[in-house]
Amino acid sequence: MRIGVLALQGAFIEHEQILARLGVSSFEIRQEKDLDSAFDGLIIPGGESTVQGKLLRELNMFDKIKNLIENGLPVFGTCAGLLLLAKKIENDDRTHLATMDISAVRNAYGRQLGSFYTEQDFKGIGKIPMTFIRAPYISGVQGDTEILAEADGHIVAARQKNQLVTAFHPELNDDLSVHEYFTKMIL
Ligand code: GLN
């Protein structure tokens, strides 16, 4: 198994480190030609969704990645990655890849709760650590999207077929379980 980590901006190295600990090989996707090599899954990291969306378009990777996901490539989006995949962003006119039937709110927790830590249940795993950094939450799920976790009264993880999203950053805690869950989606 080989996982591509979108490495345009944000917290991509931390994902690579978690994958290495799981014994999964990964590589960085930085430019269009990186999409030509064979890979079995894609991680879109946290960072700034607007910046990543702009770079995806400028680097001519946007349509290719959207097509791959629509054709079933397993994808895992964390935080900004969730926003890139959401079909609707309530407080932003723009959407990006818009492949997943979720609505999201950007920077949803206000200034005081901009960053916080909690431990909550994740369906199929159990209690896990969750670190939120100027995070979105999922305000609604549509179609066959399944809710996987809630925190602070909001949906913070969901899955629709080949697409997995978390509003929190599992790559920033010493817990491999969400990445392991993603690798099982690939197998
Ligand atoms: N606030 C960022 C955005 O809107 C997401 C924050 C994150 O990825 N940690 O894209």
Side-chain angles (χ1 to χ4, degrees):
M1 182 191 303
R2 186 164 182 255
I3 295 182
V5 181
L6 190 65
L8 302 179
Q9 187 266 341
F12 51 87
I13 290 165
E14 290 82 353
H15 282 287
E16 293 165 28
Q17 289 166 347
I18 298 263
L19 292 172
R21 285 173 65 187
L22 283 170
V24 174
S25 82
S26 69
F27 73 107
E28 294 182 352
I29 297 176
R30 294 179 171 274
Q31 47 187 323
E32 190 183 359
K33 72 170 167 53
D34 297 330
L35 296 169
D36 293 338
S37 67
F39 57 105
D40 311 296
L42 170 68
I43 290 182
I44 306 180
E48 274 303 318
S49 52
T50 48
V51 176
Q52 292 190 43
K54 185 168 178 277
L55 288 170
L56 279 177
R57 289 175 177 94
E58 285 176 6
L59 295 168
N60 205 25
M61 294 161 74
F62 189 92
D63 291 336
K64 277 195 180 179
I65 289 182
K66 188 174 162 77
N67 281 339
L68 286 169
I69 296 169
E70 283 173 346
N71 286 314
L73 178 74
V75 61
F76 176 20
T78 57
C79 203
L82 176 155
L83 291 164
L84 286 171
L85 295 171
K87 280 198 180 163
K88 184 164 193 238
I89 303 174
E90 310 259 10
N91 50 350
D92 203 327
D93 292 339
R94 279 163 60 110
T95 54
H96 303 281
L97 297 165
T99 48
M100 186 167 177
D101 286 314
I102 55 171
S103 315
V105 180
R106 269 189 89 192
N107 300 324
Y109 297 91
R111 272 166 187 262
Q112 284 191 329
L113 263 184
S115 301
F116 64 101
Y117 173 86
T118 183
E119 289 175 13
Q120 302 293 337
D121 277 323
F122 189 104
K123 194 172 175 187
I125 298 179
K127 234 182 205 11
I128 58 161
M130 299 181 179
T131 297
F132 293 82
I133 302 171
R134 293 185 307 105
Y137 62 65
I138 299 169
S139 49
V141 300
Q142 295 84 38
D144 53 1
T145 305
E146 184 186 8
I147 295 168
L148 296 178
E150 295 183 50
D152 197 36
H154 299 291
I155 304 164
V156 295
R159 174 179 179 179
Q160 183 179 31
K161 296 194 183 77
N162 57 317
Q163 305 186 71
L164 172 69
V165 290
T166 62
F168 56 93
H169 287 266
E171 78 284 8
L172 298 183
N173 291 108
D174 191 30
D175 179 279
L176 310 178
S177 57
V178 181
H179 288 77
E180 203 176 1
Y181 180 101
F182 179 56
T183 63
K184 287 187 187 144
M185 283 170 56
I186 298 175
L187 289 172

